[in-house]
């Protein structure tokens, strides 16, 4: 299996994880609106990503680009920035939201490590898309 195939599979998994987290968020909002659940957390939005996750994804993406010697064209940089930084960071945040059911539990080191691993893996593998 080539690096491009792996990158596409990882991209598909990222999308599934983000959609799952978004559906869970919407279910909590609807449950609260119908009076069947607690109020959603104020920062439960999936696009509110800690800066550290962006940094981890960007660093992993840079390492991947250097090891595979990517030609620095504008199209390549835009592709890698989108699929190597934004999506892995959003996915890592979605993993946190799924594991904590919207942020109702404290984030332990295990969950933070899982989110960092997701961000780094997505950033590293994204280089296969170019």
């Amino acid at each position: 299996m080539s690096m491009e195939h792996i990158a596409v599979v990882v991209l598909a998994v990222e999308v599934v994880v983000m959609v799952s987290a978004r559906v869970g968020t919407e279910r909590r909002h609807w449950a609260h609106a119908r009076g069947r659940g607690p109020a959603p957390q104020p920062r439960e939005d999936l696009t509110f990503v800690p800066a550290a996750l962006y940094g981890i994804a960007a660093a992993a993406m840079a390492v991947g680009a250097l090891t595979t010697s990517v030609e620095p064209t504008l199209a390549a940089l835009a592709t890698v920035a989108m699929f190597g930084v934004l999506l892995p960071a959003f996915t890592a945040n979605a993993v946190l939201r799924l594991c904590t059911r919207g942020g109702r539990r404290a984030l332990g080191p295990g969950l933070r490590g899982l989110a960092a691993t997701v961000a780094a893996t997505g950033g590293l593998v994204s280089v296969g898309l170019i």
Side-chain angles (χ1 to χ4, degrees), residues 1-86:
M1 189 179 256
S2 70
M3 185 67 167
E4 183 178 271
H5 291 103
I6 294 170
V8 170
V9 169
V10 168
L11 179 63
V13 169
E14 287 175 344
V15 170
V16 168
V17 168
M18 287 187 291
V19 168
S20 299
R22 185 65 192 176
V23 167
T25 299
E26 292 301 319
R27 284 182 47 221
R28 284 188 291 280
H29 282 273
W30 279 102
H32 174 67
R34 292 181 183 142
R36 288 189 252 151
Q41 299 293 322
R43 293 187 172 180
E44 193 175 353
D45 187 14
L46 295 177
T47 59
F48 181 75
V49 180
L53 293 177
Y54 286 121
I56 291 168
M61 177 209 53
V63 167
L66 290 174
T67 58
T68 59
S69 62
V70 172
E71 186 179 334
T73 64
L74 184 59
L77 293 176
T79 300
V80 171
M82 172 73 174
F83 296 111
V85 178
L86 287 179

